[in-house]
Amino acid sequence: MAEDDDNKENDLDDTKSDDEALADEWAAALGEQEATDADGGREDEWAAAMAEAESAEAKGKGADDDIRAASFETFDETMPTSAPGAPDLDVILDIPVTISMEVGNTQIAIRNLLQLNQGSVIELDRLAGEPLDVLVNGTLIAHGEVVMVNEKFGIRLTDVISPSERIKKLRG
């Protein structure tokens, strides 16, 4: 039993000496840090950088001055300008669109579709003489009737949908 007490005492002494050694290491590290700070360490570098920035601002030479001094000489003065908030239509006037006329449509089963051949007749949902739909990129913009123009088909517009109605149809 006395032997066990001696072992416990030795373990405590070892623990104390480990703790003391660790404390000494921390004290040495803190001493080095204080010496570095006193000799112009990181805090002094930061203070110097801040002082330099403050003196530049006092002289009126901040980083924002470089941005304000920029010029835009490459701006094309010939570009069309419009009133604020108004769309500039000149930008889109040369964009090509697909215009098509729809005689009518219907739905059939694939079985019937596969049985179609030359001479087959498909009944459409539109009555004879009823105006055709005029579509631009798939959007209905007008109704019209078929005419002949120099031996080619053409369409005479009979009813044009207002721009506000077209926008409503596009939105949903």
Side-chain angles (χ1 to χ4, degrees), residues 66-130:
D66 294 335
I67 294 170
R68 282 188 226 117
S71 64
F72 297 98
E73 295 172 11
T74 58
F75 180 72
D76 186 3
E77 297 285 331
T78 62
M79 291 184 67
T81 57
S82 58
D88 187 5
L89 294 179
D90 290 339
V91 175
I92 63 168
L93 290 178
D94 292 326
I95 297 174
V97 294
T98 302
I99 187 166
S100 59
M101 278 36 90
E102 186 176 281
V103 175
N105 60 52
T106 192
Q107 290 186 349
I108 62 172
I110 293 176
R111 174 186 280 71
N112 297 341
L113 177 67
L114 294 174
Q115 293 173 353
L116 293 177
N117 55 39
Q118 188 173 352
S120 296
V121 176
I122 302 171
E123 184 179 345
L124 301 176
D125 63 351
R126 190 138 325 164
L127 297 173
E130 193 175 342

Side-chain angles (χ1 to χ4, degrees), residues 7-50:
N7 286 340
K8 286 182 185 176
E9 232 174 84
N10 287 340
D11 289 342
L12 287 176
D13 288 341
D14 289 342
T15 305
K16 285 182 186 176
S17 61
D18 288 343
D19 289 343
E20 288 172 4
L22 185 60
D24 290 341
E25 286 179 31
W26 274 103
L30 288 173
E32 287 177 18
Q33 183 178 3
E34 288 173 6
T36 302
D37 289 345
D39 294 339
R42 289 184 183 168
E43 287 183 22
D44 289 340
E45 290 174 15
W46 178 256
M50 292 300 291

